[in-house]
Amino acid sequence: MATIRDVAKAAGVSVATVSRVLNGDDVVTSVTREKVEQAVQKLDYRPNLLGKGLRQSQTKKILVLLPTISNTFYTRIVRSMEQEAQKSGYSIVIGVTHSNREKELEYLQMLDTRLVDGAIFLSSEQRKEELSRIAQKHPIVQCSEYIPDAGCDTVTIDNEQAAYGAVLKLIELGHRRIAFAGSEKPYTSAVLREQGYRRALKESSIAVEEQLIIKGDYSFSSGSEMFERLMQIQDPPTAIFTIADSIAVGMLRASYTNEKFQKHPVAISGFDDTSLAQIYVPALSTVAQPRREIGTLAMQMMCSRIADRQLPVRFVALKHHYIKRESTFPPK
Amino acid sequence: MATIRDVAKAAGVSVATVSRVLNGDDVVTSVTREKVEQAVQKLDYRPNLLGKGLRQSQTKKILVLLPTISNTFYTRIVRSMEQEAQKSGYSIVIGVTHSNREKELEYLQMLDTRLVDGAIFLSSEQRKEELSRIAQKHPIVQCSEYIPDAGCDTVTIDNEQAAYGAVLKLIELGHRRIAFAGSEKPYTSAVLREQGYRRALKESSIAVEEQLIIKGDYSFSSGSEMFERLMQIQDPPTAIFTIADSIAVGMLRASYTNEKFQKHPVAISGFDDTSLAQIYVPALSTVAQPRREIGTLAMQMMCSRIADRQLPVRFVALKHHYIKRESTFPPK
DNA sequence: TTGTACGCGTTATCAC
DNA sequence: GTGATAACGCGTACAA
């Protein structure tokens, strides 16, 4: 591959001049500029970003860390990040961590090794202290899922309030026995959503029954299993609030499979409004996060953080909204 | 951040020695090694990959280009790529192209600019000539979706045969009026699947009716629309072969929404065995690709290609298999 | 066994 | 307006 020196030679100028043309320095005369551009064209020259990055200590790449790509919740967030990044001359690359702490650290090496200028977490398995330490050294933004007080910029929603509102909708429909299906792992969003669930019940003078609170992971099959478990309780719930669409869909699947429940369907509420929610039968009532805004703001935070490392740490909670579809109805 | 020079100074040795320790050169005595390692520890030193990459002309990163992350079909492929890459000291980063040619080219710049050592396409919007040109300059592998004769290594399945087999299953169930729902864009897989569909009909002495062959994109809504269109035909099909689970699910959704079809359901066959297929109601009959093997082999091809650019171009088609579930049944 | 010095490709600071 | 040259951080041939 051609280097800047080759171009300089071909154009009969110095490498300095080539660099100036490449970077739009307007001191060069149009004649020399023309010569250089022709040489660039002819040699199909592309600047080596390693050399450039080495010199400038930046590569204009942002690393976006996803726990998995199998959740369509991330699609629009990532897309809006991309668009926002482009405005500032950045582009993004994605690392998939599979919720594995080692894998995460491996990807974060790209910060130390200067391959990327910053990293945005959609979810993290790090401890608060570790994350805080990393954020001290590098531009880090947390997006949607987050670890509290980790000393890095965060954009999310009010998970407690969102869950509270969703459970209230079930109560308004007439439900009194409402189960909570959450996460074994204490993700912040999961913890807060449970708190919202509990508050909604309490404020409606409904006793919180610990046996109606069960936990698993975010897979369809976990949802199915949790459903079976709940239905084995003597006096099963008439409604279930879940912390994820995937769990809710797993439950709906289980309720369909088991004929016993087809005549007395259970109201099920999801979370995140993934593409699954509208396409499933029955369509899922769920909480929608402003994905576009979340992604855009996260990237804005990243860019401003890179521009000024001394900025105070910011925490923003954007507005969610509830979407009523077919999977919630009055108790039968 | 500390540089190799800082480490050298702290350890009281030369940068050369530090470099040797870092890269496991066994000529250094254990005493000096110890000194260096302690200095590395103390300064929390991480080699700058830009410097290293500049020197060695490689970054040990592979770019994986996805058209979208909202298709769970890619999840396992990407994961097996990761695992295979790790064996050779590589790691992967993902670029999402949104099936946009410009975006693709933008990401491919990372090859020219030396940020990654190779790129694997899960789908490409480039023309054959352009792709061929790029593959001449850089290690390129096509995976699953591909452009024929583009002069780059390819791992996929026999799409024609897979479609042929799936349509045959419908014929065996007794269907004679079988529709084909494909893609407006002439993706290789889509074209081949249509050929397989046509061959299955012909070999079963069923006339191919062009009005039963319709096309759209891969979205749920496109699937729904295509279903509506097919059902408006005077003598509608009793079965539909689709080239993607997403299309099939969109169709099932539409058939549920429209009460007219609930009593005379249409058999629908999907493609790819995404996570949706087993969770949907009815569960989807579909063609499964060996995702793990596809991803593993693609990465093996990449690594061997990097090791030897002169290797002959390879094309491998792995074995698919058909999965019968609830969405296909005899005509009613 | 270890150190010196050069080069990888680029940008930026000087002179001219 | 342009050119020579010193960095950036690293690996390695060569010398010691």
Side-chain angles (χ1 to χ4, degrees):
Chain A
M1 297 244 331
T3 75
I4 198 171
R5 250 181 290 275
D6 300 325
V7 177
K9 202 170 295 173
V13 298
S14 73
V15 292
T17 301
V18 177
S19 177
R20 279 192 269 262
V21 172
L22 257 37
N23 295 291
D25 190 337
D26 41 1
V27 297
V28 291
T29 58
S30 52
V31 207
T32 21
R33 174 178 302 275
E34 186 65 23
K35 280 193 294 183
V36 171
E37 278 166 354
Q38 285 192 4
V40 166
Q41 195 84 29
K42 187 177 139 212
L43 297 175
D44 190 29
Y45 166 76
R46 307 295 166 85
N48 181 325
L49 207 52
L50 296 176
K52 181 171 178 157
L54 185 57
R55 182 60 224 237
Q56 300 191 326
S57 296
Q58 60 164 349
T59 58
K60 289 285 184 180
K61 302 276 175 232
I62 303 296
L63 178 65
V64 176
L65 254 20
L66 261 41
T68 170
I69 56 169
S70 68
N71 188 340
T72 58
F73 171 65
Y74 299 123
T75 313
R76 202 168 308 157
I77 292 184
V78 168
R79 187 155 196 174
S80 57
M81 283 182 178
E82 248 176 50
Q83 290 167 347
E84 187 61 27
Q86 196 162 24
K87 292 183 192 167
S88 309
Y90 284 90
S91 53
I92 69 172
V93 292
I94 293 173
V96 187
T97 69
H98 302 291
S99 299
N100 176 336
R101 186 177 300 178
E102 308 305 317
K103 212 58 195 152
E104 259 181 38
L105 289 174
E106 201 185 305
Y107 275 114
L108 288 174
Q109 297 269 351
M110 293 177 72
L111 287 165
D112 285 328
T113 59
R114 306 290 184 178
L115 244 36
V116 296
D117 299 344
I120 301 180
F121 281 96
L122 269 299
S123 179
S124 171
E125 299 292 326
Q126 304 304 317
R127 292 160 213 245
K128 186 175 77 175
E129 294 73 21
E130 177 66 1
L131 190 57
S132 180
R133 201 183 60 73
I134 297 167
Q136 217 89 45
K137 289 177 14 189
H138 303 286
I140 301 285
V141 172
Q142 295 189 101
C143 183
S144 186
E145 187 63 73
Y146 68 102
I147 292 165
D149 307 317
C152 51
D153 299 322
T154 303
V155 48
T156 181
I157 60 164
D158 186 336
N159 283 286
E160 199 271 350
Q161 188 66 32
Y164 172 83
V167 174
L168 228 48
K169 295 284 182 185
L170 293 171
I171 294 172
E172 283 167 7
L173 285 171
H175 293 280
R176 305 286 293 175
R177 292 191 62 72
I178 303 171
F180 172 88
S183 161
E184 278 158 359
K185 289 198 190 174
Y187 291 115
T188 302
S189 67
V191 171
L192 290 175
R193 288 170 198 179
E194 182 176 340
Q195 288 176 10
Y197 159 83
R198 287 172 184 271
R199 181 162 67 91
L201 261 52
K202 277 182 192 140
E203 290 189 4
S204 307
S205 305
I206 300 173
V208 172
E209 269 184 65
E210 296 301 329
Q211 67 169 349
L212 290 184
I213 296 177
I214 59 173
K215 290 167 186 178
D217 61 35
Y218 293 81
S219 67
F220 291 137
S221 58
S222 173
S224 297
E225 284 164 21
M226 286 195 267
F227 184 80
E228 306 278 359
R229 265 198 279 160
L230 282 173
M231 289 307 120
Q232 279 163 11
I233 295 174
Q234 275 210 330
D235 189 7
T238 62
I240 308 172
F241 168 73
T242 70
I243 63 164
D245 284 354
S246 52
I247 296 174
V249 166
M251 290 191 160
L252 290 172
R253 222 311 164 185
S255 75
Y256 166 85
T257 307
N258 195 327
E259 287 190 16
K260 193 166 59 183
F261 309 119
Q262 292 197 33
K263 284 171 188 166
H264 298 289
V266 179
I268 293 176
S269 185
F271 210 110
D272 280 349
D273 190 32
T274 60
S275 57
L276 222 54
Q278 6 182 2
I279 206 70
Y280 207 75
V281 177
L284 208 54
S285 298
T286 191
V287 176
Q289 304 193 32
R291 283 173 281 199
R292 197 180 308 265
E293 290 75 14
I294 286 180
T296 303
L297 185 53
M299 188 54 74
Q300 284 172 352
M301 281 182 168
M302 174 54 73
C303 292
S304 59
R305 170 65 53 194
I306 290 175
D308 181 4
R309 300 292 301 276
Q310 306 306 321
L311 242 41
V313 174
R314 294 153 292 178
F315 181 97
V316 177
L318 298 176
K319 289 271 174 293
H320 59 270
H321 70 278
Y322 185 80
I323 302 177
K324 170 80 174 72
R325 293 206 180 92
E326 303 162 359
S327 68
T328 55
F329 35 72
K332 306 210 167 156
Chain B
M1 297 249 326
T3 74
I4 198 171
R5 252 183 289 274
D6 300 326
V7 177
K9 202 172 293 174
V13 299
S14 73
V15 293
T17 302
V18 177
S19 176
R20 287 187 191 105
V21 171
L22 257 38
N23 296 292
D25 190 336
D26 39 3
V27 298
V28 290
T29 56
S30 51
V31 209
T32 19
R33 175 178 302 275
E34 186 66 23
K35 280 193 296 184
V36 171
E37 278 167 354
Q38 285 191 2
V40 166
Q41 195 85 29
K42 188 176 139 214
L43 296 175
D44 191 30
Y45 166 75
R46 307 294 166 88
N48 180 326
L49 208 52
L50 296 176
K52 181 169 179 157
L54 189 56
R55 184 63 228 252
Q56 302 189 327
S57 290
Q58 59 163 349
T59 59
K60 289 286 183 180
K61 302 277 176 237
I62 303 296
L63 177 65
V64 176
L65 254 20
L66 260 41
T68 170
I69 55 169
S70 68
N71 188 341
T72 58
F73 172 64
Y74 299 123
T75 313
R76 202 168 308 157
I77 292 184
V78 168
R79 187 157 196 171
S80 57
M81 283 182 179
E82 248 176 49
Q83 290 168 347
E84 187 60 29
Q86 197 162 23
K87 292 183 191 167
S88 309
Y90 284 90
S91 53
I92 69 173
V93 293
I94 293 172
V96 188
T97 68
H98 301 292
S99 298
N100 176 337
R101 188 178 299 180
E102 307 306 315
K103 243 321 174 247
E104 259 181 38
L105 289 173
E106 201 184 305
Y107 275 114
L108 287 175
Q109 298 269 352
M110 293 177 71
L111 287 165
D112 285 327
T113 60
R114 306 290 184 177
L115 243 38
V116 296
D117 299 342
I120 301 179
F121 281 95
L122 269 300
S123 180
S124 171
E125 299 292 325
Q126 304 304 317
R127 294 160 212 243
K128 187 174 75 174
E129 293 74 21
E130 176 66 0
L131 191 56
S132 180
R133 202 183 59 75
I134 297 167
Q136 217 90 45
K137 289 177 16 189
H138 304 286
I140 301 285
V141 171
Q142 295 190 102
C143 183
S144 186
E145 187 62 72
Y146 68 102
I147 292 166
D149 307 316
C152 53
D153 299 322
T154 302
V155 48
T156 182
I157 59 165
D158 186 336
N159 283 286
E160 199 272 350
Q161 188 65 30
Y164 172 83
V167 174
L168 227 48
K169 295 284 183 186
L170 293 172
I171 295 173
E172 284 166 8
L173 285 170
H175 293 280
R176 304 286 296 176
R177 290 192 65 71
I178 303 170
F180 172 88
S183 161
E184 276 159 359
K185 289 198 190 173
Y187 291 114
T188 302
S189 68
V191 171
L192 290 175
R193 288 171 199 177
E194 182 176 340
Q195 289 175 9
Y197 160 82
R198 286 173 186 270
R199 180 161 69 91
L201 260 51
K202 278 182 192 140
E203 291 189 2
S204 306
S205 306
I206 300 173
V208 173
E209 270 185 63
E210 296 302 328
Q211 66 168 348
L212 291 183
I213 295 176
I214 57 173
K215 291 167 186 180
D217 61 35
Y218 292 81
S219 67
F220 291 138
S221 58
S222 173
S224 297
E225 283 164 22
M226 286 195 267
F227 184 80
E228 306 279 358
R229 264 197 280 158
L230 282 173
M231 290 306 121
Q232 278 163 12
I233 295 176
Q234 273 210 331
D235 188 9
T238 61
I240 308 172
F241 167 73
T242 70
I243 62 162
D245 284 354
S246 52
I247 295 175
V249 166
M251 289 192 161
L252 291 172
R253 222 311 164 185
S255 75
Y256 166 85
T257 307
N258 195 328
E259 286 190 17
K260 195 166 55 180
F261 309 118
Q262 293 197 34
K263 283 170 190 168
H264 299 288
V266 179
I268 293 177
S269 185
F271 210 110
D272 280 349
D273 190 32
T274 61
S275 56
L276 221 55
Q278 10 182 0
I279 205 71
Y280 207 76
V281 177
L284 208 54
S285 297
T286 190
V287 176
Q289 303 192 32
R291 284 174 281 201
R292 195 178 310 265
E293 291 74 15
I294 287 179
T296 303
L297 184 52
M299 188 54 74
Q300 284 173 353
M301 281 181 169
M302 174 54 72
C303 292
S304 59
R305 170 66 52 196
I306 290 174
D308 180 4
R309 300 292 301 278
Q310 305 307 321
L311 242 42
V313 174
R314 295 153 293 179
F315 181 97
V316 177
L318 298 176
K319 289 271 174 293
H320 61 270
H321 69 279
Y322 185 80
I323 301 178
K324 169 80 175 72
R325 293 206 181 91
E326 303 161 359
S327 68
T328 54
F329 35 73
K332 306 213 167 155

